[in-house]
mmCIF file of all heavy atoms in Angstrom:
data_model
loop_
_atom_site.group_PDB
_atom_site.id
_atom_site.type_symbol
_atom_site.label_atom_id
_atom_site.label_comp_id
_atom_site.label_asym_id
_atom_site.label_seq_id
_atom_site.Cartn_x
_atom_site.Cartn_y
_atom_site.Cartn_z
ATOM 1 N N GLU A 131 -15.761 22.552 -0.231
ATOM 2 C CA GLU A 131 -15.946 22.283 -1.585
ATOM 3 C C GLU A 131 -14.749 21.479 -2.121
ATOM 4 O O GLU A 131 -14.793 21.070 -3.352
ATOM 5 C CB GLU A 131 -15.902 23.630 -2.433
ATOM 6 C CG GLU A 131 -14.595 24.417 -2.377
ATOM 7 C CD GLU A 131 -14.608 25.448 -1.205
ATOM 8 O OE1 GLU A 131 -15.343 25.168 -0.235
ATOM 9 O OE2 GLU A 131 -13.914 26.412 -1.370
ATOM 10 N N LEU A 132 -13.856 21.010 -1.275
ATOM 11 C CA LEU A 132 -12.810 20.187 -1.785
ATOM 12 C C LEU A 132 -13.251 18.802 -2.272
ATOM 13 O O LEU A 132 -14.116 18.202 -1.736
ATOM 14 C CB LEU A 132 -11.787 19.981 -0.697
ATOM 15 C CG LEU A 132 -10.425 19.330 -0.957
ATOM 16 C CD1 LEU A 132 -9.513 20.205 -1.626
ATOM 17 C CD2 LEU A 132 -9.774 18.702 0.310
ATOM 18 N N GLU A 133 -12.667 18.475 -3.410
ATOM 19 C CA GLU A 133 -13.059 17.050 -3.916
ATOM 20 C C GLU A 133 -11.958 16.213 -3.817
ATOM 21 O O GLU A 133 -10.796 16.486 -3.963
ATOM 22 C CB GLU A 133 -13.374 17.318 -5.500
ATOM 23 C CG GLU A 133 -14.606 18.196 -5.721
ATOM 24 C CD GLU A 133 -14.971 18.274 -7.203
ATOM 25 O OE1 GLU A 133 -13.942 17.989 -8.096
ATOM 26 O OE2 GLU A 133 -15.980 18.849 -7.657
ATOM 27 N N MET A 134 -12.224 14.923 -3.569
ATOM 28 C CA MET A 134 -11.218 13.906 -3.492
ATOM 29 C C MET A 134 -11.566 12.815 -4.501
ATOM 30 O O MET A 134 -12.766 12.462 -4.655
ATOM 31 C CB MET A 134 -11.042 13.257 -2.060
ATOM 32 C CG MET A 134 -12.238 12.513 -1.619
ATOM 33 S SD MET A 134 -12.304 10.765 -2.195
ATOM 34 C CE MET A 134 -10.869 10.061 -1.308
ATOM 35 N N TYR A 135 -10.577 12.235 -5.056
ATOM 36 C CA TYR A 135 -10.881 11.042 -5.873
ATOM 37 C C TYR A 135 -9.703 10.096 -5.858
ATOM 38 O O TYR A 135 -8.520 10.488 -5.647
ATOM 39 C CB TYR A 135 -11.195 11.461 -7.361
ATOM 40 C CG TYR A 135 -9.994 12.065 -8.139
ATOM 41 C CD1 TYR A 135 -9.226 11.406 -8.925
ATOM 42 C CD2 TYR A 135 -9.889 13.466 -8.094
ATOM 43 C CE1 TYR A 135 -8.156 11.954 -9.676
ATOM 44 C CE2 TYR A 135 -8.925 14.100 -8.772
ATOM 45 C CZ TYR A 135 -8.143 13.275 -9.546
ATOM 46 O OH TYR A 135 -7.132 13.999 -10.292
ATOM 47 N N VAL A 136 -10.065 8.877 -6.088
ATOM 48 C CA VAL A 136 -8.920 7.857 -6.104
ATOM 49 C C VAL A 136 -8.273 7.839 -7.465
ATOM 50 O O VAL A 136 -8.979 7.359 -8.493
ATOM 51 C CB VAL A 136 -9.524 6.357 -5.698
ATOM 52 C CG1 VAL A 136 -8.422 5.319 -5.823
ATOM 53 C CG2 VAL A 136 -10.096 6.502 -4.263
ATOM 54 N N ASP A 137 -6.997 8.184 -7.535
ATOM 55 C CA ASP A 137 -6.458 8.455 -8.790
ATOM 56 C C ASP A 137 -5.997 7.098 -9.482
ATOM 57 O O ASP A 137 -6.202 6.861 -10.634
ATOM 58 C CB ASP A 137 -5.170 9.291 -8.672
ATOM 59 C CG ASP A 137 -4.437 9.519 -10.011
ATOM 60 O OD1 ASP A 137 -5.184 9.933 -10.824
ATOM 61 O OD2 ASP A 137 -3.176 9.327 -9.986
ATOM 62 N N ASN A 138 -5.444 6.192 -8.649
ATOM 63 C CA ASN A 138 -4.988 4.811 -9.122
ATOM 64 C C ASN A 138 -5.077 3.846 -7.984
ATOM 65 O O ASN A 138 -5.036 4.210 -6.845
ATOM 66 C CB ASN A 138 -3.757 4.921 -9.821
ATOM 67 C CG ASN A 138 -2.564 5.464 -8.853
ATOM 68 O OD1 ASN A 138 -2.855 5.909 -7.758
ATOM 69 N ND2 ASN A 138 -1.297 5.440 -9.433
ATOM 70 N N MET A 139 -5.080 2.557 -8.296
ATOM 71 C CA MET A 139 -5.150 1.511 -7.342
ATOM 72 C C MET A 139 -4.662 0.294 -7.958
ATOM 73 O O MET A 139 -4.874 0.002 -9.142
ATOM 74 C CB MET A 139 -6.646 1.347 -6.954
ATOM 75 C CG MET A 139 -6.886 0.576 -5.686
ATOM 76 S SD MET A 139 -8.657 0.758 -5.000
ATOM 77 C CE MET A 139 -9.490 -0.192 -6.218
ATOM 78 N N TRP A 140 -3.973 -0.502 -7.139
ATOM 79 C CA TRP A 140 -3.326 -1.802 -7.677
ATOM 80 C C TRP A 140 -3.299 -2.828 -6.604
ATOM 81 O O TRP A 140 -3.491 -2.480 -5.365
ATOM 82 C CB TRP A 140 -1.979 -1.514 -8.169
ATOM 83 C CG TRP A 140 -0.950 -1.026 -7.079
ATOM 84 C CD1 TRP A 140 -0.207 -1.694 -6.401
ATOM 85 C CD2 TRP A 140 -0.847 0.315 -6.760
ATOM 86 N NE1 TRP A 140 0.612 -0.887 -5.509
ATOM 87 C CE2 TRP A 140 0.139 0.359 -5.743
ATOM 88 C CE3 TRP A 140 -1.420 1.548 -7.056
ATOM 89 C CZ2 TRP A 140 0.542 1.587 -5.016
ATOM 90 C CZ3 TRP A 140 -1.060 2.826 -6.398
ATOM 91 C CH2 TRP A 140 -0.123 2.735 -5.487
ATOM 92 N N ALA A 141 -3.257 -4.096 -7.061
ATOM 93 C CA ALA A 141 -3.179 -5.230 -6.109
ATOM 94 C C ALA A 141 -1.628 -5.591 -5.786
ATOM 95 O O ALA A 141 -0.860 -5.522 -6.735
ATOM 96 C CB ALA A 141 -3.898 -6.455 -6.651
ATOM 97 N N ASN A 142 -1.357 -6.135 -4.633
ATOM 98 C CA ASN A 142 -0.104 -6.602 -4.300
ATOM 99 C C ASN A 142 -0.254 -7.951 -3.763
ATOM 100 O O ASN A 142 -1.039 -8.406 -2.936
ATOM 101 C CB ASN A 142 0.469 -5.803 -3.131
ATOM 102 C CG ASN A 142 0.456 -4.334 -3.401
ATOM 103 O OD1 ASN A 142 1.201 -3.717 -4.201
ATOM 104 N ND2 ASN A 142 -0.581 -3.637 -2.828
ATOM 105 N N ILE A 143 0.743 -8.884 -4.171
ATOM 106 C CA ILE A 143 0.747 -10.302 -3.696
ATOM 107 C C ILE A 143 2.281 -10.487 -3.312
ATOM 108 O O ILE A 143 3.258 -10.378 -4.085
ATOM 109 C CB ILE A 143 0.500 -11.437 -4.740
ATOM 110 C CG1 ILE A 143 -0.989 -11.162 -5.107
ATOM 111 C CG2 ILE A 143 0.703 -12.690 -4.140
ATOM 112 C CD1 ILE A 143 -1.424 -12.165 -6.249
ATOM 113 N N ASN A 144 2.448 -10.666 -1.937
ATOM 114 C CA ASN A 144 3.832 -11.076 -1.550
ATOM 115 C C ASN A 144 3.812 -12.399 -0.878
ATOM 116 O O ASN A 144 3.069 -12.776 0.091
ATOM 117 C CB ASN A 144 4.205 -10.085 -0.362
ATOM 118 C CG ASN A 144 4.789 -8.781 -0.918
ATOM 119 O OD1 ASN A 144 4.448 -8.413 -2.060
ATOM 120 N ND2 ASN A 144 5.545 -8.066 -0.074
ATOM 121 N N ARG A 145 4.704 -13.281 -1.437
ATOM 122 C CA ARG A 145 4.702 -14.668 -0.994
ATOM 123 C C ARG A 145 5.918 -14.782 -0.014
ATOM 124 O O ARG A 145 6.528 -13.787 0.366
ATOM 125 C CB ARG A 145 4.767 -15.637 -2.072
ATOM 126 C CG ARG A 145 3.525 -15.723 -2.891
ATOM 127 C CD ARG A 145 3.474 -16.878 -3.902
ATOM 128 N NE ARG A 145 2.129 -17.302 -4.393
ATOM 129 C CZ ARG A 145 1.528 -16.527 -5.265
ATOM 130 N NH1 ARG A 145 1.975 -15.431 -5.843
ATOM 131 N NH2 ARG A 145 0.282 -16.912 -5.641
ATOM 132 N N TYR A 146 6.348 -15.951 0.172
ATOM 133 C CA TYR A 146 7.413 -16.306 1.080
ATOM 134 C C TYR A 146 8.656 -15.472 0.823
ATOM 135 O O TYR A 146 9.231 -15.489 -0.303
ATOM 136 C CB TYR A 146 7.764 -17.687 1.202
ATOM 137 C CG TYR A 146 8.849 -18.161 2.059
ATOM 138 C CD1 TYR A 146 8.758 -17.984 3.441
ATOM 139 C CD2 TYR A 146 10.041 -18.792 1.592
ATOM 140 C CE1 TYR A 146 9.812 -18.334 4.338
ATOM 141 C CE2 TYR A 146 10.968 -19.152 2.472
ATOM 142 C CZ TYR A 146 10.941 -18.923 3.780
ATOM 143 O OH TYR A 146 11.868 -19.313 4.660
ATOM 144 N N LYS A 147 9.202 -14.587 1.780
ATOM 145 C CA LYS A 147 10.484 -13.845 1.707
ATOM 146 C C LYS A 147 10.252 -12.528 0.872
ATOM 147 O O LYS A 147 11.134 -11.845 0.763
ATOM 148 C CB LYS A 147 11.555 -14.607 1.210
ATOM 149 C CG LYS A 147 12.080 -15.683 2.229
ATOM 150 C CD LYS A 147 13.354 -16.414 1.837
ATOM 151 C CE LYS A 147 13.880 -17.323 2.837
ATOM 152 N NZ LYS A 147 15.215 -17.876 2.400
ATOM 153 N N ASP A 148 9.085 -12.448 0.200
ATOM 154 C CA ASP A 148 8.856 -11.158 -0.558
ATOM 155 C C ASP A 148 8.763 -10.001 0.370
ATOM 156 O O ASP A 148 8.169 -10.117 1.556
ATOM 157 C CB ASP A 148 7.780 -11.387 -1.433
ATOM 158 C CG ASP A 148 7.768 -12.346 -2.530
ATOM 159 O OD1 ASP A 148 9.023 -12.717 -2.833
ATOM 160 O OD2 ASP A 148 6.743 -12.786 -3.055
ATOM 161 N N PHE A 149 9.214 -8.789 -0.054
ATOM 162 C CA PHE A 149 8.902 -7.606 0.798
ATOM 163 C C PHE A 149 9.013 -6.309 -0.090
ATOM 164 O O PHE A 149 9.315 -6.459 -1.341
ATOM 165 C CB PHE A 149 10.072 -7.494 1.850
ATOM 166 C CG PHE A 149 11.490 -7.306 1.363
ATOM 167 C CD1 PHE A 149 11.997 -6.043 1.167
ATOM 168 C CD2 PHE A 149 12.282 -8.416 0.853
ATOM 169 C CE1 PHE A 149 13.262 -5.870 0.685
ATOM 170 C CE2 PHE A 149 13.646 -8.220 0.444
ATOM 171 C CZ PHE A 149 13.990 -6.996 0.250
ATOM 172 N N ASN A 150 8.738 -5.235 0.571
ATOM 173 C CA ASN A 150 8.854 -3.983 -0.238
ATOM 174 C C ASN A 150 9.819 -3.022 0.332
ATOM 175 O O ASN A 150 9.808 -2.726 1.595
ATOM 176 C CB ASN A 150 7.415 -3.318 -0.198
ATOM 177 C CG ASN A 150 6.374 -4.094 -1.072
ATOM 178 O OD1 ASN A 150 5.937 -5.132 -0.620
ATOM 179 N ND2 ASN A 150 5.966 -3.519 -2.096
ATOM 180 N N MET A 151 10.695 -2.390 -0.408
ATOM 181 C CA MET A 151 11.704 -1.451 0.140
ATOM 182 C C MET A 151 11.039 -0.200 0.477
ATOM 183 O O MET A 151 9.819 0.123 0.137
ATOM 184 C CB MET A 151 12.626 -1.243 -1.039
ATOM 185 C CG MET A 151 13.449 -2.452 -1.392
ATOM 186 S SD MET A 151 14.774 -2.016 -2.763
ATOM 187 C CE MET A 151 13.644 -1.601 -4.024
ATOM 188 N N SER A 152 11.749 0.557 1.220
ATOM 189 C CA SER A 152 11.142 1.900 1.720
ATOM 190 C C SER A 152 10.897 2.831 0.496
ATOM 191 O O SER A 152 11.715 2.965 -0.361
ATOM 192 C CB SER A 152 12.116 2.513 2.685
ATOM 193 O OG SER A 152 11.585 3.688 3.351
ATOM 194 N N HIS A 153 9.743 3.491 0.571
ATOM 195 C CA HIS A 153 9.424 4.393 -0.606
ATOM 196 C C HIS A 153 8.271 5.278 -0.197
ATOM 197 O O HIS A 153 7.680 5.164 0.875
ATOM 198 C CB HIS A 153 8.910 3.515 -1.843
ATOM 199 C CG HIS A 153 7.550 2.690 -1.436
ATOM 200 N ND1 HIS A 153 7.670 1.598 -0.624
ATOM 201 C CD2 HIS A 153 6.366 2.776 -1.759
ATOM 202 C CE1 HIS A 153 6.355 1.111 -0.492
ATOM 203 N NE2 HIS A 153 5.647 1.771 -1.201
ATOM 204 N N ILE A 154 7.944 6.309 -1.002
ATOM 205 C CA ILE A 154 6.754 7.153 -0.841
ATOM 206 C C ILE A 154 6.018 7.085 -2.113
ATOM 207 O O ILE A 154 6.333 6.446 -3.060
ATOM 208 C CB ILE A 154 7.387 8.651 -0.632
ATOM 209 C CG1 ILE A 154 8.076 9.106 -1.897
ATOM 210 C CG2 ILE A 154 7.950 8.741 0.654
ATOM 211 C CD1 ILE A 154 8.335 10.657 -1.822
ATOM 212 N N HIS A 155 4.744 7.683 -2.103
ATOM 213 C CA HIS A 155 3.945 7.745 -3.282
ATOM 214 C C HIS A 155 3.933 9.148 -3.744
ATOM 215 O O HIS A 155 3.209 10.116 -3.239
ATOM 216 C CB HIS A 155 2.592 7.237 -2.891
ATOM 217 C CG HIS A 155 2.493 5.882 -2.463
ATOM 218 N ND1 HIS A 155 1.334 5.120 -2.539
ATOM 219 C CD2 HIS A 155 3.352 4.874 -2.047
ATOM 220 C CE1 HIS A 155 1.578 3.845 -2.251
ATOM 221 N NE2 HIS A 155 2.798 3.727 -1.782
ATOM 222 N N GLY A 156 4.623 9.380 -4.876
ATOM 223 C CA GLY A 156 4.719 10.656 -5.430
ATOM 224 C C GLY A 156 3.491 11.113 -6.123
ATOM 225 O O GLY A 156 2.657 10.288 -6.578
ATOM 226 N N GLU A 157 3.369 12.498 -6.390
ATOM 227 C CA GLU A 157 2.374 13.022 -7.168
ATOM 228 C C GLU A 157 0.961 12.805 -6.720
ATOM 229 O O GLU A 157 0.026 12.691 -7.505
ATOM 230 C CB GLU A 157 2.543 12.688 -8.599
ATOM 231 C CG GLU A 157 3.861 13.103 -9.228
ATOM 232 C CD GLU A 157 4.092 12.721 -10.702
ATOM 233 O OE1 GLU A 157 3.013 12.133 -11.287
ATOM 234 O OE2 GLU A 157 5.081 13.002 -11.233
ATOM 235 N N SER A 158 0.741 12.529 -5.400
ATOM 236 C CA SER A 158 -0.566 12.460 -4.830
ATOM 237 C C SER A 158 -0.576 13.100 -3.365
ATOM 238 O O SER A 158 0.401 13.387 -2.892
ATOM 239 C CB SER A 158 -0.929 10.877 -4.858
ATOM 240 O OG SER A 158 0.004 10.098 -4.150
ATOM 241 N N ASP A 159 -1.792 13.096 -2.904
ATOM 242 C CA ASP A 159 -1.918 13.733 -1.569
ATOM 243 C C ASP A 159 -1.992 12.870 -0.358
ATOM 244 O O ASP A 159 -1.408 12.928 0.628
ATOM 245 C CB ASP A 159 -3.148 14.765 -1.601
ATOM 246 C CG ASP A 159 -3.062 15.785 -2.611
ATOM 247 O OD1 ASP A 159 -2.127 16.594 -2.528
ATOM 248 O OD2 ASP A 159 -3.831 15.832 -3.602
ATOM 249 N N TRP A 160 -2.804 11.797 -0.589
ATOM 250 C CA TRP A 160 -2.963 10.754 0.461
ATOM 251 C C TRP A 160 -2.869 9.350 -0.227
ATOM 252 O O TRP A 160 -3.138 9.263 -1.465
ATOM 253 C CB TRP A 160 -4.267 10.894 1.196
ATOM 254 C CG TRP A 160 -4.477 11.985 2.056
ATOM 255 C CD1 TRP A 160 -4.763 13.316 1.653
ATOM 256 C CD2 TRP A 160 -4.281 12.100 3.521
ATOM 257 N NE1 TRP A 160 -4.808 14.106 2.710
ATOM 258 C CE2 TRP A 160 -4.349 13.552 3.851
ATOM 259 C CE3 TRP A 160 -3.793 11.172 4.404
ATOM 260 C CZ2 TRP A 160 -4.373 13.849 5.144
ATOM 261 C CZ3 TRP A 160 -3.797 11.585 5.730
ATOM 262 C CH2 TRP A 160 -3.927 12.946 6.144
ATOM 263 N N SER A 161 -2.490 8.368 0.523
ATOM 264 C CA SER A 161 -2.416 7.082 -0.037
ATOM 265 C C SER A 161 -3.072 6.058 1.030
ATOM 266 O O SER A 161 -3.375 6.394 2.055
ATOM 267 C CB SER A 161 -0.911 6.674 -0.264
ATOM 268 O OG SER A 161 -0.266 7.415 -1.068
ATOM 269 N N PHE A 162 -3.348 4.853 0.468
ATOM 270 C CA PHE A 162 -3.985 3.851 1.341
ATOM 271 C C PHE A 162 -3.566 2.490 1.010
ATOM 272 O O PHE A 162 -3.041 2.183 -0.037
ATOM 273 C CB PHE A 162 -5.479 3.964 1.232
ATOM 274 C CG PHE A 162 -6.114 3.710 -0.140
ATOM 275 C CD1 PHE A 162 -6.399 2.421 -0.454
ATOM 276 C CD2 PHE A 162 -6.212 4.696 -1.031
ATOM 277 C CE1 PHE A 162 -6.962 2.178 -1.785
ATOM 278 C CE2 PHE A 162 -6.681 4.445 -2.363
ATOM 279 C CZ PHE A 162 -7.133 3.142 -2.661
ATOM 280 N N CYS A 163 -3.788 1.545 1.985
ATOM 281 C CA CYS A 163 -3.589 0.162 1.807
ATOM 282 C C CYS A 163 -4.769 -0.574 2.448
ATOM 283 O O CYS A 163 -5.012 -0.330 3.593
ATOM 284 C CB CYS A 163 -2.219 -0.279 2.365
ATOM 285 S SG CYS A 163 -1.785 -1.993 1.965
ATOM 286 N N TYR A 164 -5.285 -1.544 1.606
ATOM 287 C CA TYR A 164 -6.499 -2.268 2.173
ATOM 288 C C TYR A 164 -5.973 -3.768 2.046
ATOM 289 O O TYR A 164 -5.419 -4.309 1.168
ATOM 290 C CB TYR A 164 -7.769 -2.102 1.450
ATOM 291 C CG TYR A 164 -8.760 -3.134 1.894
ATOM 292 C CD1 TYR A 164 -9.567 -2.733 2.928
ATOM 293 C CD2 TYR A 164 -9.118 -4.324 1.209
ATOM 294 C CE1 TYR A 164 -10.480 -3.680 3.485
ATOM 295 C CE2 TYR A 164 -9.990 -5.144 1.565
ATOM 296 C CZ TYR A 164 -10.779 -4.880 2.740
ATOM 297 O OH TYR A 164 -11.636 -5.719 3.200
ATOM 298 N N TYR A 165 -6.215 -4.487 3.307
ATOM 299 C CA TYR A 165 -5.700 -5.836 3.353
ATOM 300 C C TYR A 165 -6.762 -6.911 3.018
ATOM 301 O O TYR A 165 -7.751 -6.927 3.792
ATOM 302 C CB TYR A 165 -5.070 -6.162 4.781
ATOM 303 C CG TYR A 165 -3.795 -5.367 4.971
ATOM 304 C CD1 TYR A 165 -3.769 -4.145 5.578
ATOM 305 C CD2 TYR A 165 -2.579 -5.854 4.401
ATOM 306 C CE1 TYR A 165 -2.666 -3.398 5.675
ATOM 307 C CE2 TYR A 165 -1.375 -5.081 4.549
ATOM 308 C CZ TYR A 165 -1.502 -3.819 5.231
ATOM 309 O OH TYR A 165 -0.300 -3.130 5.346
ATOM 310 N N VAL A 166 -6.492 -7.695 2.101
ATOM 311 C CA VAL A 166 -7.432 -8.646 1.605
ATOM 312 C C VAL A 166 -7.267 -10.050 2.301
ATOM 313 O O VAL A 166 -8.218 -10.671 2.663
ATOM 314 C CB VAL A 166 -7.377 -8.803 0.032
ATOM 315 C CG1 VAL A 166 -8.349 -10.030 -0.452
ATOM 316 C CG2 VAL A 166 -7.676 -7.556 -0.649
ATOM 317 N N SER A 167 -6.009 -10.406 2.396
ATOM 318 C CA SER A 167 -5.674 -11.858 2.952
ATOM 319 C C SER A 167 -4.399 -11.677 3.701
ATOM 320 O O SER A 167 -3.349 -11.225 3.079
ATOM 321 C CB SER A 167 -5.579 -12.873 1.878
ATOM 322 O OG SER A 167 -5.303 -14.149 2.355
ATOM 323 N N VAL A 168 -4.327 -11.886 5.021
ATOM 324 C CA VAL A 168 -3.166 -11.770 5.784
ATOM 325 C C VAL A 168 -2.870 -13.018 6.727
ATOM 326 O O VAL A 168 -3.467 -13.171 7.670
ATOM 327 C CB VAL A 168 -3.312 -10.543 6.736
ATOM 328 C CG1 VAL A 168 -2.032 -10.338 7.594
ATOM 329 C CG2 VAL A 168 -3.718 -9.364 6.000
ATOM 330 N N PRO A 169 -1.983 -13.741 6.182
ATOM 331 C CA PRO A 169 -1.552 -14.995 7.054
ATOM 332 C C PRO A 169 -0.726 -14.598 8.205
ATOM 333 O O PRO A 169 -0.119 -13.453 8.194
ATOM 334 C CB PRO A 169 -0.756 -15.888 6.030
ATOM 335 C CG PRO A 169 -0.319 -14.914 4.972
ATOM 336 C CD PRO A 169 -1.299 -13.866 4.867
ATOM 337 N N THR A 170 -0.621 -15.379 9.218
ATOM 338 C CA THR A 170 0.295 -15.054 10.309
ATOM 339 C C THR A 170 1.757 -14.897 9.892
ATOM 340 O O THR A 170 2.090 -15.665 9.095
ATOM 341 C CB THR A 170 0.078 -16.140 11.453
ATOM 342 O OG1 THR A 170 -1.291 -16.235 11.681
ATOM 343 C CG2 THR A 170 0.875 -15.866 12.659
ATOM 344 N N ASN A 171 2.401 -13.967 10.504
ATOM 345 C CA ASN A 171 3.882 -13.747 10.258
ATOM 346 C C ASN A 171 4.058 -13.427 8.780
ATOM 347 O O ASN A 171 5.157 -13.741 8.342
ATOM 348 C CB ASN A 171 4.678 -14.975 10.642
ATOM 349 C CG ASN A 171 4.609 -15.220 12.062
ATOM 350 O OD1 ASN A 171 4.700 -14.376 12.980
ATOM 351 N ND2 ASN A 171 4.610 -16.497 12.444
ATOM 352 N N SER A 172 3.268 -12.606 8.147
ATOM 353 C CA SER A 172 3.469 -12.211 6.841
ATOM 354 C C SER A 172 3.995 -10.794 6.717
ATOM 355 O O SER A 172 4.096 -10.396 5.555
ATOM 356 C CB SER A 172 2.164 -12.346 5.950
ATOM 357 O OG SER A 172 1.144 -11.456 6.624
ATOM 358 N N GLY A 173 4.386 -10.152 7.806
ATOM 359 C CA GLY A 173 5.081 -8.825 7.768
ATOM 360 C C GLY A 173 4.196 -7.649 8.024
ATOM 361 O O GLY A 173 3.098 -7.510 7.540
ATOM 362 N N ASN A 174 4.755 -6.687 8.777
ATOM 363 C CA ASN A 174 4.055 -5.438 9.108
ATOM 364 C C ASN A 174 4.425 -4.377 8.032
ATOM 365 O O ASN A 174 5.338 -4.563 7.174
ATOM 366 C CB ASN A 174 4.544 -4.877 10.424
ATOM 367 C CG ASN A 174 4.099 -5.735 11.687
ATOM 368 O OD1 ASN A 174 3.324 -6.602 11.527
ATOM 369 N ND2 ASN A 174 4.876 -5.355 12.743
ATOM 370 N N ILE A 175 3.653 -3.451 7.966
ATOM 371 C CA ILE A 175 3.823 -2.289 7.147
ATOM 372 C C ILE A 175 4.564 -1.358 8.139
ATOM 373 O O ILE A 175 4.032 -1.066 9.219
ATOM 374 C CB ILE A 175 2.648 -1.588 6.527
ATOM 375 C CG1 ILE A 175 3.119 -0.362 5.704
ATOM 376 C CG2 ILE A 175 1.536 -1.243 7.607
ATOM 377 C CD1 ILE A 175 1.998 0.255 4.712
ATOM 378 N N VAL A 176 5.696 -0.638 7.781
ATOM 379 C CA VAL A 176 6.553 0.038 8.763
ATOM 380 C C VAL A 176 6.758 1.430 8.234
ATOM 381 O O VAL A 176 7.218 1.640 7.114
ATOM 382 C CB VAL A 176 7.875 -0.578 8.954
ATOM 383 C CG1 VAL A 176 8.814 0.269 9.933
ATOM 384 C CG2 VAL A 176 7.768 -1.996 9.473
ATOM 385 N N PHE A 177 6.286 2.510 8.920
ATOM 386 C CA PHE A 177 6.417 3.903 8.566
ATOM 387 C C PHE A 177 7.644 4.411 9.216
ATOM 388 O O PHE A 177 7.978 4.179 10.416
ATOM 389 C CB PHE A 177 5.170 4.612 8.894
ATOM 390 C CG PHE A 177 3.910 4.068 8.295
ATOM 391 C CD1 PHE A 177 3.079 3.161 8.898
ATOM 392 C CD2 PHE A 177 3.542 4.606 7.054
ATOM 393 C CE1 PHE A 177 1.953 2.756 8.185
ATOM 394 C CE2 PHE A 177 2.370 4.215 6.374
ATOM 395 C CZ PHE A 177 1.554 3.214 6.946
ATOM 396 N N SER A 178 8.321 5.359 8.549
ATOM 397 C CA SER A 178 9.494 5.986 9.012
ATOM 398 C C SER A 178 9.296 7.524 9.331
ATOM 399 O O SER A 178 8.426 8.217 8.714
ATOM 400 C CB SER A 178 10.524 5.951 7.896
ATOM 401 O OG SER A 178 10.892 4.707 7.684
#
């Protein structure tokens, strides 16, 4: 009977040298990332 719903969702654009600092997603249970456009050498997502 468990229900799941997508609480919020946003778009990200990282250009040359842009990056994201280490972080978590608070006040939620699961998170996701979907890749729309990925040029070569544009950076991995790294989990700790």
Side-chain angles (χ1 to χ4, degrees):
E131 66 268 27
L132 190 74
E133 296 179 347
M134 69 80 69
Y135 64 93
V136 178
D137 181 49
N138 56 355
M139 193 168 74
W140 62 94
N142 310 284
I143 300 178
N144 278 22
R145 290 189 165 78
Y146 180 60
K147 291 187 177 181
D148 296 340
F149 65 96
N150 292 70
M151 298 182 293
S152 190
H153 63 286
I154 62 172
H155 293 203
E157 300 182 3
S158 55
D159 298 297
W160 292 82
S161 299
F162 63 88
C163 185
Y164 176 80
Y165 292 95
V166 175
S167 182
V168 183
T170 304
N171 295 323
S172 58
N174 293 348
I175 183 170
V176 180
F177 296 93
S178 298

